[in-house]
Amino acid sequence: MSDTTTMDEPIYKTDALIAQDIDQYLKVHEHKTMLRFITCGSVDDGKSTLIGRLLYDSKMIFEDQLEALQSDSRKVGTQGQEIDFALLVDGLAAEREQGITIDVAYRFFATEKRKFIVADTPGHEQYTRNMVTGASTADLAVILIDARKGVLTQTRRHSYLAHLIGIRNIVLAVNKMDLVGYDQSVFDAIVKDYTEFATSIGISAFTAMPISGFKGDNITAASANTPWYSGPSLIEHLETVEVNSATDADKPFRMPVQWVNRPNLDFRGFSGLIATGSVKPGDAVRVLPSGKTSKVTQIVTLDGDLEQAVAGQSVTLCFADEIDCSRGDVIALADNPPQAADQFEATIVWMADEEMLPGRAYWLKIGTQTVTATIQQPKYQVNVNTMEHLAAKTLELNAIGVANLSTDRQIVFEPYANNRTLGGFILIDKISNATVAAGMLHFSLRRAQNVHWQATDVSRDFHARLKNQKPAVLWFTGLSGAGKSTIANLVEKKLARMNRHTFLLDGDNVRHGLNKDLGFTDADRVENIRRVGEVAKLMTDAGLIVITAFISPFRSERDMVRQMMQPGEFIEVHIDTPLAEAEARDVKGLYKKARSGELKNFTGIDSPYEPPQDPEMRIDTTVMTAEEAADAIVARLIP
């Protein structure tokens, strides 16, 4: 080939040069900052269309995707013969059929200045929980408003939730300006209405802009249709707004430990994602909740050791001392550690179809910590339309309330307003493993610091030796009329003849005193069993054999009581009587009243019973007499 080429001659690059170009491009791309944002608002405000337009204008659509989009737009689109950009995001068949977003759709795109992950969240009230999921990791929220409709209920709800989740960068995108003739007075009126509402919920600043997701006005460049608007286009604003990672780097160092990295005998490090702050070798750190201190000797990553690590990086830290540190612990600055407590006030967003049951034990996951938590009756529920605080006994789907909660051990935390990682949590149902709520911790309760366990000289082991027996809880569960009280009474009589120290807690008797303030709703049943469990625990500490006879219909509460006891001390006895047999006995006439509607929330009729899946004993009363059952139970307890 000659030193010069003509226009007709192609210029070829070697494989090495191509690889070099790709490597250079990836390095440039790697060092771009990342902005995570959500689009939210009411139904049909144009959220999916806006994201589709962003993907289209940023050249993030492949040719085959574009061809499919054009074909789908003709078949199921809502824009006549023009491209329906919403179809790029609405992937579910149900979404395309109904023209609404149901699930959270995440999309990635990039410009020359920044990378983006956008979450398209549903506008329908039924799917508010999905909006909370998308907002939980976002730096910015684009609140869309249909210029023809103005500020709606879901506009207020999503704005309140975005602010509650901790999103401080709000864009008010007044969409579909093309359908109102790009009228400035319409835009100004909507901004005025929204400003009044935003101020009332604590949003001090937001960026308002007139757009058309369908036509592309003010999306990637200033539109000639809105000469009265002098602000930035949407993409210009997204490229320059400050992301959370930048502000997190200025906060005190915090790193929840995800796992202990020990590949061989010569290396031991603690791996995790740095939530806030920065760390470098030589820094004095403290491990919480134990409080042990040491110094960082090495910051290890896959690409080599670092001289400094900052918020958003995943690293492995090595210490100068062999101190106890494991998953769930938090590594922090030695002279500026976070708090640890076991009782809190929190805002809770309920996300399950089943209502919240105060007193029920749930898994609480915060950072890398997982503990058991119970929630008290809400202090109040928030009406997101009026911001009014309403009295509430529980929380239902999509409800937002404030309540106190307690955990079975201390957790390391910071208020959510200061640290989203150590202040935000989810609640998980122990039986179904479904996420039922998301929450934000406000502060620890003063009594969490003021109330401590008082050491006593006479131990529970001494109480047991004094009575010459091993403490235990015989937990009888079964339907009403199954024979629990009858068998429990026989068991106690037999143990008394053997000079055993016992106490019988019967469901009806307890409701005459300790639990006389409780009814028979699911929430009251949960609290009934929680109180009985606490009493039974105190009695085992005194060395007694405790016999309980309660329907205790829910597995979660029976498991909660089991967790209160020492290993092996909780013996679950299922008095297994079929519903038809129990109803035939009906010695108290309760089933008859329940069938006629006189008695509400009756277990087995209009309230569920969850039989034990793996009890220590199962007593079939259709083949065994009460006397035989009592003998079998005593033999199981005292071989």
Side-chain angles (χ1 to χ4, degrees), residues 383-398:
N383 183 329
V384 296
N385 297 320
T386 64
M387 295 299 108
E388 183 183 4
H389 292 178
L390 307 175
K393 290 187 176 182
T394 184
L395 296 177
E396 297 180 341
L397 176 64
N398 295 327

Side-chain angles (χ1 to χ4, degrees), residues 300-377:
V300 181
T301 71
L302 183 64
D303 298 322
D305 292 359
L306 301 179
E307 292 300 318
Q308 185 181 37
V310 298
Q313 289 184 293
S314 295
V315 298
T316 297
L317 301 182
C318 299
F319 294 160
D321 306 287
E322 290 288 337
I323 62 174
D324 183 22
C325 182
S326 59
R327 176 177 171 81
D329 290 342
V330 176
I331 303 172
L333 290 176
D335 58 354
N336 189 6
Q339 304 175 58
D342 60 4
Q343 297 179 63
F344 311 90
E345 182 189 87
T347 294
I348 297 171
V349 182
W350 196 252
M351 302 166 69
D353 294 321
E354 302 79 16
E355 67 179 19
M356 182 188 81
L357 295 179
R360 169 164 287 186
Y362 298 97
W363 291 121
L364 182 147
K365 187 170 180 7
I366 178 169
T368 57
Q369 306 168 90
T370 302
V371 296
T372 294
T374 54
I375 311 169
Q376 297 182 15
Q377 180 176 313

Side-chain angles (χ1 to χ4, degrees), residues 8 41 47 53 78 103 120 167 197 201 216 258 263 282 297 321 339 363 378 415 438 453 467 533 575 583 587:
D8 297 329
K47 298 179 292 297
R53 168 63 73 173
T78 60
D103 201 0
D120 180 26
I167 299 176
F197 168 74
I201 63 173
Q258 293 181 345
T297 59
D321 306 287
Q339 304 175 58
W363 291 121
W453 282 104
K467 296 175 176 60
I575 308 301
E583 191 169 358
V587 292

Side-chain angles (χ1 to χ4, degrees), residues 209-228:
M209 57 182 67
I211 68 168
S212 171
F214 177 55
K215 297 293 186 181
D217 295 290
N218 294 320
I219 302 300
T220 57
S223 171
N225 294 316
T226 55
W228 43 266

Side-chain angles (χ1 to χ4, degrees), residues 163-181:
H163 183 68
L164 184 67
I165 291 293
I167 299 176
R168 296 297 173 257
N169 296 313
I170 303 290
V171 173
L172 181 68
V174 182
N175 193 24
K176 304 186 181 181
M177 289 297 297
D178 55 306
L179 300 182
V180 295

Side-chain angles (χ1 to χ4, degrees), residues 41-43 45 123 125 128 149-160 197 383-387:
S42 192
V43 176
D45 278 348
E125 181 178 353
T128 298
K149 301 176 182 177
V151 178
L152 301 175
T153 299
Q154 279 299 82
T155 311
R156 298 187 182 95
R157 182 186 296 273
H158 284 187
S159 298
Y160 177 77
F197 168 74
N383 183 329
V384 296
N385 297 320
T386 64
M387 295 299 108

